[in-house]
Amino acid sequence: MSHTPESAESAPVSFRSEVTVELVKHSAADSDVLWAARVSTAGEQSLEELRKDPERSKGLINYLMRDRHGSPFEHNSMTFFISAPIFVFREFMRHRVGWSYNEESGRYRQLEPVFYVPGGSRKLVQQGRPGKYEFVEGTPAQHELTTRAMEDSYRQAYAAYQEMLAAGVAREVARAVLPVGLFSSMYATCNARSLMHFLGLRTQHELAKVPSFPQREIEMVGEQMEAHWAELMPLTYGAFNANGRIAP
């Protein structure tokens, strides 16, 4: 059986320090929470009925959040398209309840040479012990070393990947030489409740009752998802913050 090698020609290796999050589609509004909560006592209600007393609606959402009645926050959906380094997705996919994922596959397509290098504002030095550590600014020499070491390693790894593909090695085998700093992309679908669980663990926030110590790169993803959600469900988002950013 003949095999046609993949071309070794591709775009030059490039480097990024930013992740991106796009809200692709959604069916998510505060009214979704209200409908779900009130059906147990009032049956089905119209949108106009829900709009009659906005303060009561705000109070109900806050009550549900405060007393951790979580299921009404599940009757909505948001789909995000996320571009981030592979190591971010390996952390991300620890969140399994209420999430669906589809990531680009290195088995079926040649992976693009885009790699993560920390930006100048990324704190590089860890101090303290697990559970009580903090990150502090790196020196110019540490930033220079990090950038140089990463870029050299990425170029070498991608050159090996191209060489293997050109020799006819299967994509699913050749990809093993690529590092977790490679950018990947995925669709991630969740509801407000599952997103709140994610944000409670993967972001640091002054209003959080339970402290969290996320890796900065996944926090960058969380911050962008949070901004989209805040626009879609402002009452729910406000109640989340008012009650210590603890998911119901």
Side-chain angles (χ1 to χ4, degrees), residues 5 7 28 52 74 90 99 117 149 152 177 202 245:
S7 171
K52 284 180 182 178
E74 297 176 4
R90 298 298 81 83
W99 288 89
V117 174
D152 289 349
V177 301
R202 302 300 182 179
R245 293 175 68 87

Side-chain angles (χ1 to χ4, degrees), residues 14-64:
S14 61
F15 309 106
R16 288 173 52 187
S17 61
E18 298 299 324
V19 303
T20 58
V21 176
E22 176 187 356
L23 179 64
V24 177
K25 62 178 180 178
H26 68 88
S27 174
D30 291 317
S31 57
D32 298 325
V33 180
L34 299 170
W35 270 316
R38 290 177 178 170
V39 71
S40 61
T41 57
E44 186 177 8
Q45 293 185 299
S46 69
L47 183 58
E48 286 304 314
E49 288 178 299
L50 295 175
R51 287 173 173 167
K52 284 180 182 178
D53 192 346
E55 283 303 312
R56 181 166 175 256
S57 295
K58 180 179 179 181
L60 175 57
I61 288 177
N62 189 70
Y63 158 74
L64 295 170

Side-chain angles (χ1 to χ4, degrees), residues 45-132:
Q45 293 185 299
S46 69
L47 183 58
E48 286 304 314
E49 288 178 299
L50 295 175
R51 287 173 173 167
K52 284 180 182 178
D53 192 346
E55 283 303 312
R56 181 166 175 256
S57 295
K58 180 179 179 181
L60 175 57
I61 288 177
N62 189 70
Y63 158 74
L64 295 170
M65 191 77 68
R66 184 194 67 213
D67 287 15
R68 306 194 72 182
H69 297 291
S71 60
F73 297 101
E74 297 176 4
H75 296 272
N76 55 82
S77 178
M78 294 165 279
T79 297
F80 300 94
F81 182 73
I82 302 167
S83 178
I86 289 174
F87 67 81
V88 169
F89 290 165
R90 298 298 81 83
E91 280 197 323
F92 207 123
M93 292 175 184
R94 299 300 298 165
H95 298 266
R96 299 182 295 277
V97 178
W99 288 89
S100 297
Y101 303 110
N102 279 94
E103 185 181 353
E104 67 177 278
S105 173
R107 296 187 66 193
Y108 303 118
R109 64 184 297 270
Q110 181 171 330
L111 298 170
E112 295 299 316
V114 182
F115 296 91
Y116 175 75
V117 174
S121 63
R122 205 320 182 171
K123 296 179 179 179
L124 294 182
V125 179
Q126 179 180 324
Q127 294 181 340
R129 59 184 177 82
K132 290 193 174 182

